[in-house]
Every structure is written in C-alpha cells, then in structure tokens.
Amino acid sequence: MKRSDRLKLNLEIIADELCLIFGKPASRLADEHKILDVLIATKLSQNTTDKSSYKAFNRLKEKFGSWENVAEAKESEIRECIKVCGLANTKARDIKLMLIEMIAKYGKLDLRFFKNISDEEIYDELLSFKGIGVKTASCVLVFALGRDVFPVDTHVHRTLNRLGIVKTNSPDKTFEAANIVIPEGRKYELHTNLIKFGRNICRSKNPLCSLCSFYSRCVFEEKSTYRKQSSKAMLENNFLILEEI
Ligand code: SF4
C-alpha cells in the first residue's frame, strides 16, 4: 500500500473515533453573506479563547452595526470595543486597515463574488491583505463558503504530528502536508474534532495520554510519562467561535 493511502486509511480511523468521542459536527451551510463575519471572527480569535473573541465580535457588531462603520471608526474606539479578547492594539489596527484596503480594492465591503471563484483565487485575494494568513483564509473557505479545505491551527498541527500523520515544524507546513491526505468530504469534521481533541485530551502541556484512544498509534516520545500522570477527568472546552458565526 502506498504511504499516502495508508495515511488516508489511518485518518479515516481517527476521524471515526473522534466522532464517537466528540460527535459529528453538523454540516456547514455556505453563506456568502457571512464571509466578512467569519474573517473578522477568525482575526479576533488569534491567541485567545473562543469565548472571549466571541464576546469581542458581538460587541463590535452591536456598537458599530456594520463593517463599513468599523472601517470609519477611530482605531481607539475599535480597540476599546475588543479589549476583552487580548492583543487589542494589533487586532484593531489590522481589522481597520484590512477593511479600508478592501474598500479601496473592491469599491465596497462585499465579498460575495468569492462564491463564484476557485479556492486558489480566494487564497490569492485574501492573502494579499496584511494580517491574513493561510489559516484565516482557510477558515473563510470552510466556515463561510462550505469548501472542502482543512484549516490548520496550533491544535491541529500538534495533534497530527503526535499521531504520526505529518512530521512538520509549523502549522503552514502541516497544512500543505495534511491537505493531500485528509479524506475527501471529512476536512471540516476532522478540523473541528481535532481542535476539541487538542484542547481536551492531547493538550500542549500535560496531555491526558491515559485517556487517549490513539495511544498505540501515537509517536509522541513522552507519551508513556504522561500516561502515568494523566488520570484526571477530561476537561470540557468545546466552544468554537466559528461554529457560532
Ligand atoms: S497518547 Fe498522548 S500525546 Fe499521544 S495522541 Fe494521545 S494524548 Fe496525544
């Protein structure tokens, strides 16, 4: 069997097991009206919890009413509004700048034309804006447009390396390596369930290896140490902001 076929088979098994643990995520309906919402929610969620970024997102919507109004607002007003989610200076500056650049480039804040262009063209468009990376663009493709791509954040990167699916040293490299082998039609499901797995079981620090269904296939060198330590119950941390947008 070819290596890529073996990895696909392993991923099918992992995806099935994750569905037993966390459930199968409800299918995601495309809604081109939500492209900017998803984009800004993803920006807000960087380096913070989904709960606090969701609060910041709702505050922005309530205070300004439209993304056009956010583009015209003072940076200090945006910063004050989103301070609950951390890195408010950078996020306020980047969001305002991105919205202004979009108005300059497209004439208005309307990205519905993304619905009619390819994934590659959407990546080209979004990556041309400062502060938008591959992960953020991938989230837009999946969560606003229902495309079958596989966003890789820090949890997905860590868990796929520990599970021996990839051997990479950055989320962007994991994105390249994983997208080739993730089974068609299961990318969204695997993305969301690997995040839940990474937050609750295969945590960055102190993974709960004694509770892990994948212990035998895991290639993490310290797994036997953590297996002895981790007998506490699984913590529940399953709120995902993009499932709420
Ligand atoms: S055994 Fe531990 S390190 Fe390996 S995948 Fe499971 S939780 Fe993660």
Side-chain angles (χ1 to χ4, degrees), residues 196-227:
K196 290 173 183 174
F197 177 58
R199 285 182 181 178
N200 292 293
I201 301 176
C202 191
R203 305 179 306 198
S204 172
K205 291 179 185 162
N206 301 318
L208 302 178
C209 301
S210 65
L211 301 175
C212 182
S213 311
F214 308 117
Y215 188 84
S216 59
R217 68 173 69 244
C218 171
V219 298
F220 184 48
E221 285 176 0
E222 296 167 61
K223 67 178 182 179
S224 58
T225 309
Y226 285 109
R227 189 180 208 182

Side-chain angles (χ1 to χ4, degrees), residues 13-14 17-18 20 22 36-37 41 74 85 102 114 124-125 159 166-168 171 191 206 225 244:
I13 295 166
I14 290 167
E17 182 64 27
L18 289 172
L20 290 178
F22 298 109
L36 260 179
D37 285 16
K74 287 184 185 155
C85 77
M102 281 181 175
F114 280 13
D124 285 347
E125 290 294 334
T159 53
V166 297
K167 195 173 179 185
T168 54
H191 165 78
N206 301 318
T225 309
E244 306 298 322

